[in-house]
Amino acid sequence: MKDRGVMMLIEEKKRARLTDVAKMYYEKNMGQKEIAEQIGVSRPMVSKLLQEARDLGIVTITIHETKSANQILAERLMEEFHLQDVILLETIGSDAVAISEKYATAICGMLEKGETYKIGVGCGSTLGMIADALEKKEAMQFQGEMYPLIGGFKATYRSYHTNELVRSMAERLGMKSTYLYLPALLGSKEEKDLYTATELFETVRELWHEMDVAWVNISGLYSAPDFATSIRFGKKLVQKNAVGRFLAHYYDIHGNFIMPEEDNMVQAELFDLQCAKNMVAICSDMVDVKAVVGSLRTRCFTKIILPERTAREVLNSLES
């Protein structure tokens, strides 16, 4: 018992010495040479004592990773709008080609190789830009199927030729294409009802209900081509203070949808879009901030890709 007591006393004195050395080094910022002179040992012995203090748990070192400004910005957007993910892009000082590549890289980064996806694709200049960038990349080997979320438009630019947009993107991603052989805008609601009752349309609608991902361009209130807003809405968009749209669904700054008076647009309806496991909002640096805020307040989206500058403007608008 006496020997045990002596051993415990020696161990206690050893730990006290290690603690004193550790305090001199870590708290008082004394150098190892200075400590060695003060306690009467060699400098290598001080180094050995400090290592022993770490091994025994007297000293623990914790590295706290500092979050970047963009990480903090993304987290604020996720919290404010209940999003699962926010991807911020630096677009200032980049030319159009470089910006296109950044969007293409971001959207492909959301897909995992080996997984099978059913992806609905909207329309708009940013999605067209992504398609252009994908054509310059090596073909990728994702699995699944892509299809339009809206009919085609009579436009000179292919970002609104939805079947062509799907064909191009699916080809580069190694996926199958399914097309919607209908124009976006029909002459009347009655004509729309006739077309949407066909087996061809029902096949696409079933795919909308099985979507894993929807890629949707966010646009301002006024954009080309014209979505026949005067025919569909009359003066409602002005009266209801519309701020933007995705597909041909218009909304106000609070995220309230504005229903058309004449519903003759062939597109995935809101209840179709709700079936998607993930809705990705894609915003360019040209889109009005109010259009971004309103779209996120609809609560339709789970993820967003947007320029860092636009993200800051969104948060600043909430504080003003």
Side-chain angles (χ1 to χ4, degrees):
M1 292 294 292
K2 183 177 179 181
D3 290 344
R4 185 179 177 185
V6 171
M7 291 299 293
M8 288 179 65
L9 182 61
I10 292 173
E11 182 65 24
E12 188 176 319
K13 287 184 177 180
K14 176 183 176 183
R15 293 184 71 88
R17 186 188 191 196
L18 293 173
T19 301
D20 289 340
V21 171
K23 284 183 176 181
M24 283 187 273
Y25 186 73
Y26 291 105
E27 293 182 357
K28 298 180 181 179
N29 294 317
M30 294 172 62
Q32 292 188 16
K33 182 179 180 182
E34 188 181 2
I35 296 171
E37 291 173 353
Q38 183 164 324
I39 66 175
V41 298
S42 66
R43 183 173 176 174
M45 176 56 72
V46 173
S47 180
K48 183 178 178 181
L49 292 171
L50 289 170
Q51 181 61 53
E52 193 171 355
R54 290 195 292 271
D55 293 342
L56 292 174
I58 295 170
V59 173
T60 58
I61 297 175
T62 303
I63 299 173
H64 297 281
E65 185 177 353
T66 303
K67 292 181 180 179
S68 69
N70 275 4
Q71 283 179 304
I72 295 170
L73 182 58
E75 288 178 1
R76 286 183 63 193
L77 284 171
M78 284 190 281
E79 182 179 1
E80 178 69 33
F81 297 107
H82 308 280
L83 298 167
Q84 296 175 13
D85 195 14
V86 172
I87 298 178
L88 301 177
L89 305 179
E90 181 54 64
T91 58
I92 297 176
S94 299
D95 59 26
V97 173
I99 292 172
S100 300
E101 290 176 351
K102 289 180 181 181
Y103 275 96
T105 298
I107 208 164
C108 291
M110 291 182 167
L111 305 177
E112 295 183 17
K113 289 185 177 179
E115 295 292 326
T116 300
Y117 295 95
K118 291 187 176 181
I119 302 176
V121 179
C123 60
S125 57
T126 310
L127 280 166
M129 193 169 63
I130 291 170
D132 290 341
L134 287 175
E135 286 189 343
K136 297 171 185 175
K137 290 179 174 287
E138 291 186 8
M140 288 165 266
Q141 295 301 316
F142 293 107
Q143 299 177 25
E145 187 174 3
M146 297 182 75
Y147 35 83
L149 293 173
I150 189 168
F153 292 86
K154 292 180 179 179
T156 56
Y157 25 92
R158 75 168 184 176
S159 52
Y160 287 89
H161 291 230
T162 50
N163 284 339
E164 168 58 19
L165 200 59
V166 164
R167 182 206 62 77
S168 174
M169 297 175 82
E171 186 177 90
R172 302 312 297 167
L173 295 175
M175 304 178 80
K176 174 187 173 184
S177 302
T178 296
Y179 303 120
L180 176 59
Y181 294 105
L182 287 174
L185 189 64
L186 294 172
S188 65
K189 184 180 184 304
E190 289 72 25
E191 186 179 2
K192 173 187 171 180
D193 290 342
L194 286 173
Y195 276 107
T196 55
T198 62
E199 185 177 343
L200 175 66
F201 181 82
E202 281 302 318
T203 299
V204 176
R205 171 159 279 170
E206 287 176 9
L207 291 174
W208 290 343
H209 293 174
E210 298 170 358
M211 275 190 294
D212 296 299
V213 186
W215 293 341
V216 180
N217 201 97
I218 303 302
S219 300
L221 177 58
Y222 301 107
S223 58
D226 178 44
F227 279 47
T229 52
S230 60
I231 296 173
R232 296 175 61 224
F233 292 93
K235 296 181 180 180
K236 284 182 73 173
L237 294 182
V238 174
Q239 293 168 345
K240 299 287 186 179
N241 299 311
V243 296
R245 67 168 176 82
F246 57 84
L247 301 179
H249 299 294
Y250 288 80
Y251 49 84
D252 65 19
I253 190 64
H254 304 293
N256 301 311
F257 287 103
I258 301 168
M259 296 297 110
E261 295 175 354
E262 176 74 13
D263 186 12
N264 56 345
M265 186 68 67
V266 177
Q267 63 176 332
E269 304 295 346
L270 295 174
F271 63 85
D272 297 317
L273 295 173
Q274 289 172 355
C275 297
K277 295 175 184 176
N278 281 295
M279 280 268 290
V280 182
I282 303 170
C283 307
S284 76
D285 56 3
M286 301 297 290
V287 69
D288 187 80
V289 171
K290 290 180 180 179
V292 180
V293 173
S295 71
L296 294 178
R297 283 177 171 165
T298 65
R299 297 291 184 88
C300 289
F301 296 97
T302 58
K303 302 179 180 182
I304 187 171
I305 302 172
L306 75 168
E308 176 267 340
R309 178 176 59 182
T310 304
R312 292 190 186 282
E313 291 173 352
V314 166
L315 289 175
N316 288 340
S317 74
L318 302 179
E319 296 168 359
S320 60

